[in-house]
Amino acid sequence: MCRNKYEESKSSTPDQNGLGRRLSGGSWDLYACIIPTFCANNKVWGVDVDDIYAPVNFKNSHWFAIWILILKRHIVVWDSIVKHISPEELDEVIETFLTMVPYLLVECASSDEENIKYTLEPFTYERVKVGVPQCRSGDCGVYTLKYIECHALGITSFPATFCNKNVKEIREQDGARYIS
């Protein structure tokens, strides 16, 4: 989902049903899990996919993770440096996801049955602060990927070994695993 194209989509004129807004290129392919190609599985959001995990970049200086719960219409934010983004700045960044995910669920639905399951009502979100390991500047990308990995594997509380003391080792292990 192209956050940098969100304003263009937001300012385009919808039809009488609130649909027909301009979407950034590749939006449907993302919704249908055709892209990114390295993990394409042709599963459709809200039909085959109930949860989406994504790393989000803030001003090219910080990464945080989001977990989109489609059925609950809710987004969870895990941030390793909470002080880096003010609540107001986070509201602005997350707005894209809060409004565009439900929009894509309705606009891209392939049947009327799928279409009526969802509304254009924005999702809600929360920024989890308790139990989320905090890191030093420069390690937010590693922490972001680890939040996603742990949660996707069903690890509901982050292990004690997931800490600043071990981040160099985690970085090396994960880097080797991602490359191989």
Side-chain angles (χ1 to χ4, degrees):
M1 188 170 326
C2 249
R3 279 193 4 245
N4 60 345
K5 300 280 187 176
Y6 173 64
E7 287 303 320
E8 184 180 321
S9 175
K10 185 177 169 182
S11 65
S12 64
T13 307
D15 64 17
Q16 68 274 12
N17 297 317
L19 301 173
R21 292 185 181 277
R22 185 175 304 121
L23 293 174
S24 61
S27 294
W28 191 89
D29 291 342
L30 189 62
Y31 163 81
C33 295
I34 295 170
I35 59 170
T37 54
F38 69 87
C39 64
N41 59 21
N42 298 317
K43 294 186 177 186
V44 176
W45 294 4
V47 177
D48 309 302
V49 176
D50 295 333
D51 297 338
I52 300 169
Y53 296 96
V56 179
N57 187 272
F58 175 71
K59 295 185 178 180
N60 291 326
S61 66
H62 180 60
W63 288 95
F64 61 90
I66 62 172
W67 170 31
I68 303 170
L69 296 93
I70 293 173
L71 300 178
K72 292 184 178 180
R73 305 182 54 77
H74 188 70
I75 297 174
V76 175
V77 176
W78 295 298
D79 189 353
S80 61
I81 308 175
V82 174
K83 295 177 189 170
H84 194 87
I85 306 174
S86 71
E88 296 78 22
E89 290 172 316
L90 185 60
D91 286 346
E92 189 177 317
V93 172
I94 292 297
E95 179 188 2
T96 305
F97 300 97
L98 298 177
T99 59
M100 290 307 292
V101 171
Y103 185 82
L104 286 171
L105 287 167
V106 173
E107 179 75 296
C108 297
S110 60
S111 71
D112 288 340
E113 184 179 304
E114 287 174 35
N115 195 320
I116 60 172
K117 275 178 32 179
Y118 301 103
T119 69
L120 296 175
E121 185 71 28
F123 281 21
T124 58
Y125 90 93
E126 67 180 306
R127 181 187 218 173
V128 179
K129 294 180 181 176
V130 176
V132 178
Q134 297 295 290
C135 75
R136 298 178 296 242
S137 181
D139 293 331
C140 59
V142 174
Y143 276 63
T144 294
L145 294 176
K146 278 313 242 191
Y147 297 152
I148 292 170
E149 178 185 22
C150 287
H151 201 271
L153 292 173
I155 301 169
T156 54
S157 60
F158 300 107
T161 56
F162 183 24
C163 61
N164 286 329
K165 183 178 103 181
N166 298 330
V167 77
K168 183 178 186 296
E169 183 181 336
I170 292 169
R171 184 188 303 271
E172 289 169 357
Q173 287 174 351
D174 285 356
R177 190 176 60 197
Y178 297 143
I179 292 171
S180 58

